[in-house]
């Protein structure tokens, strides 16, 4: 299956030719039929002599509708350029051809139409002029066939030639990551929302959960159609209609991508190789703003040249594009850039990194990394894509590199074996491309370790009496996901960088050090506890009378001097153990104990005994039943 797109000047007979070839009128809109001019995208299909079935996207030729044309040719496999014999090459012929060249559409042919309207000499002139215009473009070697959609002359030869062109067309690289660029969304009574577009990668299946990006709306595929035939699986290079009853038609628009959840992520920044068209006399300047067309999307983009102040006509340069709104892109995607005020195409190029950080200009390491991603072998591409980033999920990393799954896995295996890359994951036997598997370069790992060390060192300086930093505090400061954090902490602990506790972490060599002055304050407080063991000083008293702040008080809890049973209430550890033991013995001997009975055991106050009993409940030693406490194990056995 292939998707073929028309191109060419207005009124050169593109739609008429499509109808003659397929029997399908691609002009869908009443306005198109009334004006006799294509305004929006039209669609048809054809079975070629070889049995190959193709989808045809018919695009408008008028310069006012160039945005619609770009949405149509952004996902095609081959082009059918149309030039009328009575007009020859016209302005939109040149612009459409330039766009096809920027998109590197290398398969296609030319139809010289309206053969029946002119003398053979004019047909030959149109052929020669067209060959001259094709020279130096991606379609330089495209075959030309003169036809008449009215008389049918030449149509059989055109179809046979197109069949041969597609026979020699290289299939799209399938990286098993479904991407359907949406070009239409509408509602059908009894079925609900339908989205159509070209599936350029991966498979879509009936019943599959899908996600619309940007936006993240999710739903399930009820049915799939290609050329009005129901199918169970849609393959790449196919125009597909997807029935999504869970989604509202307002959830979808041209420029969205339909994919499966977790596979792709929208971006507002692209690293690219940018080319300036030869006819743009002023060139492309750093800081200029244009309209970016990629897939079926149309977004505003600001150009940031990384190693130049401008790009001369016909030249290329590395650049970073900042997008006004998020879109979806992958490495290797082609795009077109237009000047919005002048309404002309000025350049285009290829995406190198769809999720870059913001770069400073004239940084040689950045330029070298992008050049490697542009021309390097798979391990080089993976190495440069990882850079010194924090751990990246393998599924996401494959999206960024746009390597085929087998290429990606082999490259990753080579780098892991060379100890250039570390694999973090929960299951060592799981496939590399599995959710929950992460890769990080040695440089990225060292940077992460340095950041962990810096954060823990700062925490230990700020809170010298705390034995460790809560894990969640550290994770939030590192700004990494919980599952990645677990792997990172485990790896760092195994490397001896940190010591891991249940809910906290510390530097491996860190110990709480209480100063002699603090030790003296602690000694005096513990003496007061011994003098009144069952009604000891509260936290407020410890602060006001003994000079013990909350940090020192917690340090005494951490090292086992005290047990905190309430916000203000603390007992010395030996006293707490004694009280718990006596209450448990009482319950075993006498049965459930009331608060008053427990209070009488120790001649303490209601406040202290109430917090002690609540704390025993929290520790699951006892359980409250009405106004009494019972031992939890006895209570559970009695249920």
């Amino acid at each position: 299956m292939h998707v073929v797109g028309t191109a060419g000047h207005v009124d050169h007979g593109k739609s008429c030719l499509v109808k003659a070839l397929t029997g399908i009128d691609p002009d869908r809109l009443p306005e198109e039929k009334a004006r006799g001019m294509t305004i929006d995208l039209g669609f048809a299909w054809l079975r070629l002599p070889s049995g190959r079935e193709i989808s045809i996207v018919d695009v408008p030729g008028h310069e006012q509708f160039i945005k619609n044309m770009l949405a149509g040719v952004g996902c095609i496999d081959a082009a059918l350029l149309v030039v009328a014999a009575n007009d020859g090459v016209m302005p939109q012929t040149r612009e459409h051809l330039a766009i096809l060249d920027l998109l590197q559409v290398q398969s296609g042919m030319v139809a010289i139409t309206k053969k029946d309207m002119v003398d053979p000499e004019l047909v030959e002139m149109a052929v020669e002029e067209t060959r001259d215009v094709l020279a130096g473009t991606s379609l330089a070697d495209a075959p030309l066939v003169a036809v008449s959609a009215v008389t049918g002359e030449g149509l059989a030869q055109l179809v046979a030639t197109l069949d041969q062109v597609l026979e020699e067309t290289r299939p799209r690289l399938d990286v098993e990551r479904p991407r359907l660029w949406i070009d239409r969304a509408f509602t059908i009574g009894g079925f609900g929302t339908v989205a159509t577009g070209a599936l350029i990668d991966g498979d879509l299946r009936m019943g599959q959960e899908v996600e619309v990006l940007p936006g993240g709306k999710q739903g399930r595929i009820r049915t799939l159609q290609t050329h009005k035939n129901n199918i169970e699986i849609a393959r790449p290079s196919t125009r597909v209609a997807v029935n999504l009853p869970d989604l509202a038609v307002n959830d979808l628009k041209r420029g969205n991508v339909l994919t499966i959840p977790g596979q792709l992520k929208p971006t507002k920044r692209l690293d690219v190789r940018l080319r300036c068209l030869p006819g743009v006399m002023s060139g492309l300047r750093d800081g200029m703003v244009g309209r970016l067309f990629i897939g079926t999307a149309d977004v505003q983009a600001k150009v940031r040249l990384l190693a130049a102040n401008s790009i001369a006509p016909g030249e290329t340069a590395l650049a970073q594009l900042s997008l006004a709104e998020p879109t979806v892109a992958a490495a290797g995607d082609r795009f077109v850039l237009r000047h919005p005020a002048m309404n002309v195409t000025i350049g285009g190029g290829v995406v190198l990194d769809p999720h870059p950080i913001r770069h400073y200009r004239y940084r040689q390491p950045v330029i070298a990394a992008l050049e490697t991603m542009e021309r390097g072998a798979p391990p080089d591409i993976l190495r440069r894509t990882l850079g010194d980033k924090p751990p990246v999920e393998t599924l996401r990393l494959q999206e960024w590199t746009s390597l085929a799954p087998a290429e990606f896995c082999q490259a990753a295996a080579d780098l892991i074996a060379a100890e250039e890359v570390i694999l973090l994951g929960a299951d060592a036997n799981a496939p590399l491309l599995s959710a929950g598997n992460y890769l990080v370069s040695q440089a990225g790992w060292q940077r992460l370790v340095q950041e962990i060390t810096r954060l823990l060192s700062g925490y230990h300086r700020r809170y010298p009496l705390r034995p460790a930093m809560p894990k969640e505090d550290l994770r939030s400061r590192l700004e990494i996901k919980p599952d990645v954090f677990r792997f990172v902490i485990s790896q760092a602990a195994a490397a001896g960088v940190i010591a891991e506790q249940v809910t906290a972490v510390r530097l491996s060599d860190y110990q709480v050090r209480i100063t002699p002055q603090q030790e003296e304050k602690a000694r005096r407080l513990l003496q007061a506890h011994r003098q009144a063991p069952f009604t000891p000083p509260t936290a407020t008293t410890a602060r006001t009378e003994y000079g013990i702040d909350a940090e020192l008080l917690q340090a005494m809890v951490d090292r086992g001097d005290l047990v905190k049973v309430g916000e203000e209430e603390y007992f010395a550890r030996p006293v707490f153990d004694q009280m718990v033991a006596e209450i448990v013995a009482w319950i075993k001997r006498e049965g459930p104990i009331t608060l008053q009975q427990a209070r009488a055991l120790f001649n303490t106050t209601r406040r202290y005994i109430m917090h002690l009993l609540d704390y025993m409940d929290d520790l699951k030693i006892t359980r409250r039943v009405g106004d009494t406490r019972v031992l939890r194990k006895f209570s559970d056995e009695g249920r």
Side-chain angles (χ1 to χ4, degrees):
M1 189 78 76
H2 290 90
V3 180
V4 177
T6 64
H9 196 76
V10 63
D11 200 33
H12 276 204
K14 295 185 295 298
S15 300
C16 186
L17 179 60
V18 170
K19 186 175 181 180
L21 290 172
T22 67
I24 301 170
D25 186 355
D27 286 340
R28 300 175 289 108
L29 306 177
E31 185 180 356
E32 292 177 315
K33 297 183 183 297
R35 297 173 61 180
M37 183 177 70
T38 300
I39 296 172
D40 203 354
L41 303 179
F43 308 100
W45 53 91
L46 176 67
R47 187 173 295 277
L48 299 174
S50 64
R52 181 183 291 108
E53 193 169 359
I54 64 171
S55 302
I56 299 178
V57 181
D58 185 40
V59 306
H62 198 286
E63 63 179 347
Q64 291 182 0
F65 307 111
I66 192 70
K67 292 183 179 181
N68 294 340
M69 179 270 179
L70 283 159
V73 298
C75 305
I76 64 174
D77 303 308
L80 177 59
L81 180 65
V82 176
V83 179
N86 60 337
D87 281 342
V89 173
M90 296 290 282
Q92 293 311 118
T93 311
R94 296 179 184 277
E95 183 169 22
H96 284 204
L97 180 59
I99 288 169
L100 295 173
D101 188 48
L102 289 169
L103 295 174
Q104 283 296 286
V105 178
Q106 297 185 346
S107 293
M109 63 172 297
V110 180
I112 305 296
T113 58
K114 304 187 181 184
K115 180 180 181 181
D116 57 303
M117 296 176 61
V118 299
D119 294 332
E121 292 80 5
L122 285 180
V123 173
E124 189 58 34
M125 287 177 60
V127 169
E128 291 304 316
E129 183 184 20
T130 303
R131 288 193 189 281
D132 290 342
V133 173
L134 292 177
T137 72
S138 61
L139 294 178
D141 298 323
L144 290 81
V145 177
V147 301
S148 168
V150 175
T151 67
E153 185 180 2
L155 291 184
Q157 183 185 355
L158 185 150
V159 170
T161 303
L162 182 58
D163 205 0
Q164 183 60 40
V165 166
L166 294 178
E167 177 66 30
E168 299 170 0
T169 297
R170 183 183 304 173
R172 283 184 179 271
L173 176 65
D174 183 2
V175 297
E176 301 175 14
R177 174 195 54 207
R179 281 201 296 164
L180 183 141
W181 282 100
I182 294 174
D183 50 42
R184 283 196 303 158
F186 49 90
T187 301
I188 296 179
F191 289 89
T193 299
V194 175
T196 70
L199 182 61
I200 63 172
D201 189 14
D203 296 342
L204 289 176
R205 301 169 182 269
M206 285 179 54
Q208 191 172 33
E209 289 285 344
V210 290
E211 181 178 28
V212 178
L213 298 173
K217 295 284 187 179
Q218 296 189 9
R220 187 181 296 274
I221 298 174
R222 177 188 285 172
T223 57
L224 291 166
Q225 280 193 354
T226 291
H227 305 163
K228 294 191 175 181
N229 293 317
N230 288 334
I231 56 175
E232 292 190 2
I233 303 175
R235 305 294 188 188
S237 291
T238 307
R239 278 202 57 80
V240 185
V242 186
N243 182 204
L244 301 165
D246 301 334
L247 298 178
V249 71
N250 291 335
D251 293 334
L252 312 173
K253 66 178 181 178
R254 179 175 289 179
N256 287 158
V257 168
L258 189 71
T259 183
I260 58 176
Q263 286 286 301
L264 295 166
K265 184 180 179 182
T267 182
K268 292 186 70 175
R269 192 180 290 126
L270 300 171
D271 282 348
V272 303
R273 167 68 69 176
L274 181 59
R275 173 186 164 200
C276 178
L277 285 178
V280 182
M281 301 310 297
S282 60
L284 300 183
R285 302 181 311 281
D286 177 64
M288 69 161 292
V289 176
R291 299 297 302 185
L292 173 80
F293 294 85
I294 186 167
T296 59
D298 167 12
V299 297
Q300 180 177 292
K302 183 176 181 179
V303 176
R304 182 180 179 83
L305 299 179
L306 298 179
N309 290 321
S310 63
I311 309 177
E315 298 297 321
T316 72
L318 294 172
Q320 186 167 88
L321 304 181
S322 297
L323 311 183
E325 54 189 285
T327 191
V328 176
D333 283 356
R334 294 276 170 176
F335 64 89
V336 171
L337 193 67
R338 302 194 84 239
H339 195 295
M342 299 172 63
N343 196 28
V344 293
T345 301
I346 54 178
V350 62
V351 175
L352 303 179
D353 186 348
H355 297 280
I357 61 173
R358 189 176 187 275
H359 302 312
Y360 290 102
R361 301 179 67 207
Y362 297 102
R363 293 299 175 93
Q364 190 56 42
V366 171
I367 294 168
L370 290 175
E371 288 175 342
T372 297
M373 294 172 71
E374 188 175 15
R375 297 188 297 270
D380 297 323
I381 293 172
L382 179 54
R383 185 186 293 111
R384 289 294 190 176
T385 304
L386 273 173
D388 61 355
K389 295 182 179 73
V392 182
E393 192 170 26
T394 54
L395 291 171
R396 183 77 66 216
L397 196 56
Q398 189 220 352
E399 174 212 336
W400 292 358
T401 61
S402 279
L403 294 171
E407 279 186 317
F408 177 88
C409 291
Q410 185 60 57
D414 292 345
L415 295 180
I416 292 169
E419 298 184 349
E420 291 187 55
V421 167
I422 300 170
L423 172 64
L424 304 175
D427 184 356
N429 297 318
L432 182 70
L433 284 172
S434 299
N437 275 347
Y438 295 81
L439 290 178
V440 61
S441 68
Q442 286 289 352
W445 176 251
Q446 292 305 318
R447 182 180 180 184
L448 190 57
V449 166
Q450 290 171 5
E451 183 64 6
I452 290 172
T453 302
R454 184 187 71 80
L455 290 171
L456 288 178
S457 296
Y459 186 88
H460 293 328
R461 285 194 302 273
R462 195 159 51 251
Y463 305 109
L465 298 180
R466 298 184 188 183
M469 183 178 188
K471 286 182 177 178
E472 183 54 31
D473 287 359
L474 179 59
R475 187 199 69 78
S476 64
R477 290 176 181 273
L478 290 173
E479 297 181 344
I480 54 179
K481 297 194 298 186
D483 57 341
V484 186
F485 181 73
R486 288 194 297 272
F487 301 146
V488 166
I489 290 302
S490 176
Q491 185 82 10
V497 176
I498 63 171
E500 181 181 11
Q501 300 172 2
V502 176
T503 61
V505 290
R506 61 175 173 82
L507 291 176
S508 55
D509 60 352
Y510 181 74
Q511 292 182 343
V512 172
R513 293 178 177 83
I514 299 179
T515 66
Q517 294 83 356
Q518 291 169 328
E519 284 287 9
E520 175 58 23
K521 293 177 182 179
R523 185 194 66 76
R524 292 176 54 236
L525 178 62
L526 291 176
Q527 177 63 32
H529 271 261
R530 286 191 287 272
Q531 292 172 353
F534 304 121
T535 54
T538 63
T540 298
T541 303
R543 183 180 69 254
T544 57
E545 295 188 15
Y546 297 92
I548 294 180
D549 59 17
E551 290 293 316
L552 180 54
L553 194 61
Q554 184 59 46
M556 295 177 69
V557 172
D558 292 336
R559 74 176 183 179
D561 294 342
L562 302 174
V563 177
K564 180 180 181 180
V565 298
E567 287 301 314
E568 285 281 318
E569 295 75 29
Y570 294 74
F571 287 107
R573 166 59 71 177
V575 175
F576 171 80
D577 292 341
Q578 173 194 343
M579 296 174 80
V580 170
E582 291 191 23
I583 289 172
V584 169
W586 201 99
I587 295 173
K588 287 181 177 179
R589 184 177 65 252
E590 306 291 342
I593 190 170
T594 66
L595 186 148
Q596 292 300 325
Q597 289 169 329
R599 177 185 173 189
L601 274 178
F602 307 107
N603 191 27
T604 186
T605 67
R606 177 182 178 86
R607 169 181 175 176
Y608 278 102
I609 203 65
M610 178 179 66
H611 285 292
L612 175 67
L613 291 175
D614 286 344
Y615 189 57
M616 289 177 66
D617 292 344
D618 294 340
L619 294 177
K620 302 188 184 305
I621 299 171
T622 56
R623 182 184 178 205
R624 183 169 181 167
V625 179
D627 293 332
T628 67
R629 256 60 176 208
V630 297
L631 294 184
R632 180 170 287 272
K633 65 177 182 178
F634 291 168
S635 174
D636 291 346
E637 289 173 357
R639 283 186 288 177

